[in-house]
Amino acid sequence: MDARLRDPGGGEPAQGSAEVPSVELRDVHRAFEGAVALAGVSLAVQSAEFFSILGPSGCGKSTLLRLIAGLDLPDRGEVWLRGKPAAAVPAHRRPVNTVFQSYALFPHLNVADNIGFGLRMRGVDRVTRARQVAEAMDWVRLAGVGGRWPDELSGGQRQRVALARALVNRPEVLLLDEPLAALDRQLRLELQSELRALQRRTRITFILVTHDQEEALSLSDRVAVMRAGRVVQWGDPVSLYDRPRTRFVAEFLGACNVWTARVKAQEGREWLVELPFGGLVVAPGELTCTTGGQVEVGIRPEHLELRRAARGTASGWQGKVESVRFEGAGLEVSIRLGEWSLRARCGRAGEESAWREGDCVELSLPREHLLFWEVGG
Amino acid sequence: MAIPGQGWMAWGALGLVWVPLLVLVVHSFNAARLGSGWGGFTWAWYRAAAGNEALRAAVLNSVILALSSTSISVVLGTLLGYGVGRDPKRAQGWREGLLRLPTVVPDIVSAISLVLFFSWVRRWLTAWEPGMTQMILGHVGLQLPFVALVVRARALSLDPALAEAARDLGATPARVFWHVTLPALRPGVVAGALLALTLSLDDFALSFFNGGPGSTTLPVYIYASARRGVSPEVNAAATVMLVLTAVLALVALRWQRRGRPLARGVTPSA
Amino acid sequence: MRTVRTSPWRVRFSGVALGAGLGWAWLAVLVFLPLMLVVGAGFLTRGDYGGIQGPLTGENYRRLAGWGELGWEPLYPRVLLRTLTVATVVVVATAAASIPLAFFMASRGPRGRALALGLLVVPFWTNLLIRTYAWQVLLGAGGPLASWAVAWGWLPAGGALYPGWFAVGLVMFCDFLPFMALPVYASVERVDWTQVDAAADLGAAGPAVFRHALWPQIRPGVGAGVAMVFLPAMGQFVIPELLGGGQVTLLGSLIQQQFGASRDWPFGSAAATVTLLGLLLSAGWTRRGRSRSRQPGRGG
């Protein structure tokens, strides 16, 4: 591979080994004039992985990217690249390239020269450069626009140029800072699948920063959810969605019904929790709580089970359909249960799901889909 | 919205600015002396100007003064303007005020302030004499804030991510400046250079007070010969300088746009 | 291992810092220090051979205010008043011409704008003295403009428009026009026209639209133009000297005399310091204009 990837100290290049993470952060802290951006972040991103950092704006995710790129340094903690501390490696010698949120295309260079900039800085000769630039333009389906100027391109084309400009250097790690945020939905979806395919093809480690949970969940091998300068939870998208460790993660990754409930009793290894609108549910023993204390209980709308209320049966809760919102592929049904309101999502198939306002409904909360958290998580 | 009559008012104002210039050029080809109507076309004044040694020296001095002061002020002003403008927190406030202040000082005040300064300098540097060096130093002081302000405005409008992108792509800090920052600043630098050139060519007060015997510039020459009335040779010399300046400016503007298509801002549909 | 804050790439490209420092140093030594010397010299006395000597005195300002050896006489106060009047007239005239000019330029396409900007700047590649002489020809007896004026019956036969106040005013107007027009144009070009549409939509008529939707937006540009014209106009001495025919002595001419024939540098410095005082006033004006334009709803 290329000389830039090797440690300047002359150590053995450690690429490709599964045990050595591409990027590792060890208890990284960073504050700006008193405002804490990162408060102790530790992460390991494996080689050839598509990793996403997801969080609301201001959670420190862009700062994290800048630390990996070497455009900023941590106050405390360490950034390791391919098994070596990167503190002494300046940005221009790191095997890392970035796709900037604003794209940051050089206005005085045409598309081909923009893409070839990194190669030129490394002293790659003109002929090789032209070949590699053409190849990179093929990857991102930009063939034929090499002579154009950045200000003549559409948003999607600029995005592709920024991507090609980074990828052409064959970095160990590609950082993407909200690369699709400025594009409209149709184009965003199209580019998402292209990104995914590119990552699979090039086997480059991708680290994507986004505030769009759908984007993170659909593209990534693993996702880290950040909040206020910390990583709250990281793992594969399915486990994050199904077993969020805090209420914040649950609500950030998708809609969720959440209530505060009282712990009624301990029963064997499990807890009995009383819901605010009546009824008991069983919480797993691992939950840290005390009898008489409070916990938060959640369930995702698609996991609520609705049935037409049969007169006389009293199994489960009885409610009334408050409103129905048509969502194309399904319905979102809002159900009133005394003073409580619940959201449920159901498909449109079958007579069973033709809900109307005012319908009486009987609902159940399947035990395996219930989520429990300590209060304030 | 349009202001009623804005069109003819605009042309009227531009016309007033251009009238003396036309008089100048026309009379440089006029066989009759100034003020006595059209006497036929002639190159005589150009020939006379070329043969007038004092006039030639004055034109040469003006050119030397303009070019050398502009070169210095463009280099310093670019660095100064970028140094101030690259950080939005620094670009406003007292730094901006300090740059704006000299631009509104009357030129006579700048001129006599340098007279005082250099007479003070002579207490230590007894050999110092007013002349070309003093004029160049003064002109740079006149131009520097203007160049710096123009470059600063350009630097402020640049995306700070540009320099970071270059660094990220493997450019050392020096190469970032040379390959990305400077080219991105180029429109501002060219505009600043043209402004500096204009200021130097248009100056009279500073040259008048700070020049020496061997450093007479064209305006000082004209002023000195005022009592004898202006010779049409001066018109010829001024016309030549005007044409030279125009050529220089066109070259600069072309260079600024080098490689760029003419119809900029025309975005093809996505 | 702890990260070292002063890693080599963290230090910004020091060439820029060095160059910027050099620029500041140049300004400090060759612009600000000389200006301070002017202020200082204004409080000193003329030496026996034209130099400057102590002690500190307010005598020069007393003289400017009109007190001389023979008691009070209004010579210098009149010069001051005349200077302020001329400068004000020039400022008002250039502003009144620049606003329509700027709107006209902004209404052109990109090429038209570049052309208009060029038309405004190119004449200044010839020197002020040369242009002033050209005006002498135009305005003098028998010159084209004077002949027209005679033909229209505005002037007696053989009359001239120069020397005199009219010639000084006209040429100063032409000379300072770009310094007003360029900053005004810069602000007109950035006008947010939706505010104008909104004002019209809310029932404002022509002048009211200008007053409420346009003026607040172009005010900073006009303010910058006023600063660029007022003080330099106060210091102008070539035009009054060549076109005023001795009738129009302004502050600039006074300074020039003290540093020329009269060789009274301290008195000339005091007169120069008066123009610098105006600088503080105009700085305050622009600052006020700017802080106002930042208020929400005022745009700009």
Side-chain angles (χ1 to χ4, degrees):
Chain A
M1 254 193 153
D2 95 61
R4 218 157 53 99
L5 302 190
R6 231 160 280 145
D7 182 80
E12 277 293 302
Q15 86 248 3
S17 149
E19 298 85 47
V20 180
S22 261
V23 177
E24 199 181 345
L25 302 171
R26 300 184 178 173
D27 193 32
V28 167
H29 289 72
R30 183 77 175 107
F32 298 99
E33 286 160 15
V36 176
L38 295 174
V41 170
S42 298
L43 272 182
V45 181
Q46 299 305 326
S47 187
E49 185 177 29
F50 199 128
F51 195 93
S52 287
I53 298 170
L54 175 66
S57 54
C59 70
K61 53 193 194 300
S62 288
T63 306
L64 202 61
L65 225 51
R66 294 172 56 83
L67 293 180
I68 298 170
L71 297 172
D72 194 11
L73 289 180
D75 296 328
R76 206 139 61 73
E78 287 174 17
V79 177
W80 286 52
L81 293 174
R82 295 165 2 100
K84 299 228 160 50
V89 187
H92 59 270
R93 294 224 312 271
R94 291 195 184 188
V96 174
N97 286 120
T98 307
V99 175
F100 288 83
Q101 185 170 11
S102 61
Y103 312 143
L105 301 183
F106 304 128
H108 60 286
L109 296 178
N110 66 20
V111 168
D113 290 341
N114 256 286
I115 297 173
F117 187 87
L119 301 173
R120 191 167 135 219
M121 288 299 114
R122 275 196 280 151
V124 175
D125 69 273
R126 189 186 293 264
V127 179
T128 320
R129 208 159 76 205
R131 203 188 60 238
Q132 294 186 358
V133 166
E135 193 188 356
M137 285 172 64
D138 266 349
W139 289 344
V140 297
R141 304 198 299 145
L142 266 180
V145 304
R148 297 262 205 93
W149 298 92
D151 57 3
E152 299 171 325
L153 303 178
S154 67
Q157 285 173 319
R158 281 180 210 187
Q159 212 283 329
R160 289 188 161 108
V161 175
L163 195 58
R165 187 177 69 175
L167 278 175
V168 75
N169 305 297
R170 295 272 185 178
E172 163 80 13
V173 181
L174 181 75
L175 306 176
L176 302 113
D177 188 1
E178 306 252 9
L180 308 176
L183 305 176
D184 59 50
R185 188 179 157 75
Q186 196 58 42
L187 196 57
R188 202 160 63 224
L189 293 177
E190 191 182 314
L191 278 164
Q192 275 176 10
S193 52
E194 278 182 35
L195 269 186
R196 182 69 189 158
L198 262 177
Q199 196 270 332
R200 284 279 171 273
R201 182 135 55 102
T202 58
R203 309 280 304 152
I204 289 172
T205 309
F206 275 36
I207 302 181
L208 172 81
V209 152
T210 179
H211 63 266
D212 178 343
Q213 94 282 358
E214 247 179 74
E215 191 169 293
L217 294 179
S218 62
L219 290 178
S220 320
D221 298 315
R222 284 192 303 160
V223 179
V225 181
M226 282 189 68
R227 183 192 192 185
R230 288 173 205 279
V231 171
V232 237
Q233 190 176 357
W234 51 312
D236 66 282
V238 176
S239 66
L240 274 184
Y241 188 82
D242 287 345
R243 289 184 299 284
R245 214 176 291 151
T246 68
R247 174 178 178 172
F248 170 78
V249 174
E251 293 189 323
F252 199 72
L253 290 182
C256 195
N257 296 295
V258 181
W259 311 280
T260 306
R262 207 168 61 83
V263 180
K264 190 125 196 214
Q266 191 165 21
E267 198 181 79
R269 304 207 40 183
E270 292 169 326
W271 301 94
L272 280 182
V273 175
E274 186 178 26
L275 293 176
F277 40 86
L280 290 176
V281 289
V282 179
E286 302 93 79
L287 190 68
T288 29
C289 59
T290 51
T291 304
Q294 291 193 317
V295 290
E296 281 182 320
V297 184
I299 187 165
R300 296 207 179 274
E302 65 270 26
H303 292 146
L304 271 179
E305 286 174 6
L306 308 183
R307 280 181 304 281
R308 303 248 163 227
R311 225 156 284 185
T313 51
S315 69
W317 294 268
Q318 306 268 338
K320 216 173 201 127
V321 174
E322 197 171 36
S323 66
V324 178
R325 207 176 69 161
F326 177 57
E327 286 187 331
L331 297 175
E332 193 188 75
V333 185
S334 186
I335 297 152
R336 180 142 293 270
L337 212 68
E339 59 176 304
W340 305 92
S341 189
L342 286 76
R343 275 182 298 168
R345 194 166 285 141
C346 47
R348 294 171 66 201
E351 199 185 327
E352 192 58 0
S353 46
W355 297 103
R356 292 215 161 54
E357 267 175 54
D359 285 356
C360 283
V361 66
E362 182 182 302
L363 50 93
S364 53
L365 315 176
R367 181 181 171 170
E368 67 273 23
H369 289 306
L370 281 174
L371 305 164
F372 296 91
W373 310 290
E374 297 158 51
V375 173
Chain B
M1 181 185 144
I3 293 171
Q6 65 178 22
W8 65 260
M9 284 176 85
W11 287 117
L14 287 175
L16 276 179
V17 176
W18 273 81
V19 160
L21 207 69
L22 295 178
V23 170
L24 169 85
V25 175
V26 167
H27 279 281
S28 74
F29 296 109
N30 187 357
R33 286 217 147 230
L34 278 176
S36 44
W38 180 251
F41 182 90
T42 178
W43 286 104
W45 306 121
Y46 287 86
R47 257 176 265 124
N52 183 337
E53 201 171 319
L55 181 58
R56 242 175 30 217
V59 169
L60 191 65
N61 278 334
S62 284
V63 171
I64 290 173
L65 175 61
L67 291 185
S68 45
S69 62
T70 300
S71 324
I72 300 174
S73 66
V74 164
V75 173
L76 284 181
T78 299
L79 292 169
L80 181 54
Y82 174 62
V84 172
R86 68 177 166 185
D87 182 353
K89 267 179 282 174
R90 282 199 202 190
Q92 264 105 34
W94 63 267
R95 287 183 181 82
E96 187 195 357
L98 271 190
L99 287 182
R100 291 206 180 277
L101 191 125
T103 65
V104 298
V105 172
D107 40 5
I108 175 94
V109 178
S110 309
I112 59 122
S113 77
L114 283 173
V115 170
L116 283 174
F117 174 73
F118 283 106
S119 78
W120 186 63
V121 164
R122 278 173 77 169
R123 289 177 169 203
W124 293 279
L125 269 170
T126 41
W128 185 275
E129 288 292 336
M132 188 53 94
T133 316
Q134 187 168 328
M135 285 154 72
I136 292 175
L137 292 175
H139 274 216
V140 173
L142 222 56
Q143 300 162 325
L144 188 54
F146 283 94
V147 178
L149 282 170
V150 174
V151 173
R152 165 193 163 276
R154 176 75 190 171
L156 267 177
S157 71
L158 288 185
D159 181 359
L162 282 184
E164 295 192 335
R167 230 166 10 133
D168 185 72
L169 290 166
T172 59
R175 298 180 94 187
V176 172
F177 186 76
W178 186 251
H179 287 288
V180 172
T181 310
L182 213 49
L185 290 175
R186 195 158 75 180
V189 175
V190 171
L194 287 180
L195 192 57
L197 192 69
T198 310
L199 286 168
S200 176
L201 288 175
D202 196 34
D203 169 71
F204 167 68
L206 206 140
S207 308
F208 179 66
F209 281 103
N210 292 280
S215 64
T216 304
T217 57
L218 186 59
V220 176
Y221 172 87
I222 298 170
Y223 189 80
S225 60
R227 313 294 169 234
R228 301 194 301 268
V230 202
S231 148
E233 294 164 25
V234 169
N235 291 328
T239 306
V240 169
M241 270 183 78
L242 182 67
V243 171
L244 285 178
T245 314
V247 169
L248 198 66
L250 278 178
V251 169
L253 289 172
R254 265 217 95 79
W255 178 73
Q256 176 190 337
R257 273 203 294 257
R258 189 181 56 184
R260 302 307 317 263
L262 277 175
R264 285 198 46 194
V266 183
T267 322
S269 52
Chain C
M1 191 183 88
R2 283 200 56 153
T3 309
V4 187
R5 272 271 130 205
T6 51
S7 302
W9 70 94
R10 188 145 189 108
V11 179
R12 283 178 162 156
F13 176 40
S14 50
V16 172
L18 197 73
L22 205 59
W24 282 122
W26 190 292
L27 285 179
V29 175
L30 285 154
V31 176
F32 294 120
L33 178 60
L35 287 177
M36 285 189 266
L37 289 178
V38 170
V39 177
F43 290 102
L44 295 172
T45 317
R46 173 190 182 177
D48 296 333
Y49 304 101
I52 297 173
Q53 62 185 33
L56 286 178
T57 170
E59 183 55 32
N60 295 314
Y61 291 96
R62 254 175 64 88
R63 260 176 85 193
L64 269 179
W67 278 280
E69 282 156 24
L70 305 168
W72 193 79
E73 56 160 356
L75 175 65
Y76 295 131
R78 270 202 194 131
V79 169
L80 271 177
L81 199 65
R82 198 181 295 141
T83 305
L84 287 175
T85 314
V86 169
T88 308
V89 168
V90 170
V91 161
V92 171
T94 50
S98 291
I99 292 171
L101 178 61
F103 275 95
F104 175 75
M105 282 162 70
S107 69
R108 306 287 99 184
R111 276 166 170 256
R113 290 176 186 201
L115 181 70
L117 280 174
L119 284 177
L120 205 53
V121 173
V122 168
F124 291 81
W125 292 342
T126 54
N127 190 270
L128 167 67
L129 273 152
I130 299 170
R131 296 195 308 270
T132 309
Y133 278 117
W135 277 111
Q136 285 186 346
V137 174
L138 278 162
L139 299 171
L145 287 179
S147 310
W148 275 345
V150 171
W152 283 86
W154 294 338
L155 272 182
L161 294 163
Y162 125 89
W165 282 96
F166 173 76
V168 173
L170 178 69
V171 176
M172 278 179 85
F173 166 82
C174 293
D175 195 48
F176 285 110
L177 184 66
F179 291 94
M180 179 66 81
L182 292 177
V184 173
Y185 168 71
S187 64
V188 167
E189 201 191 15
R190 284 197 303 262
V191 160
D192 171 12
W193 290 97
T194 58
Q195 286 189 32
V196 177
D197 294 341
D201 185 58
L202 294 169
V209 171
F210 184 83
R211 164 86 184 74
H212 295 289
L214 277 176
W215 175 246
Q217 299 193 61
I218 63 173
R219 200 191 122 101
V222 177
V226 170
M228 296 289 291
V229 171
F230 191 75
L231 292 179
M234 280 178 74
Q236 181 53 258
F237 69 100
V238 173
I239 296 171
E241 187 182 331
L242 295 180
L243 293 171
Q247 301 168 29
V248 190
T249 305
L250 301 183
L251 201 54
S253 325
L254 187 66
I255 301 171
Q256 186 224 353
Q257 283 160 15
Q258 304 311 315
F259 276 81
S262 309
R263 231 178 139 67
D264 189 347
W265 289 7
F267 186 53
S269 298
T273 306
V274 171
T275 67
L276 291 179
L277 279 181
L279 216 144
L280 296 178
L281 289 180
S282 81
W285 203 85
T286 15
R287 172 162 300 197
R288 206 179 117 232
R290 235 181 264 154
S291 60
R292 272 226 202 166
S293 65
R294 260 193 228 120
Q295 281 171 18
R298 280 192 164 263

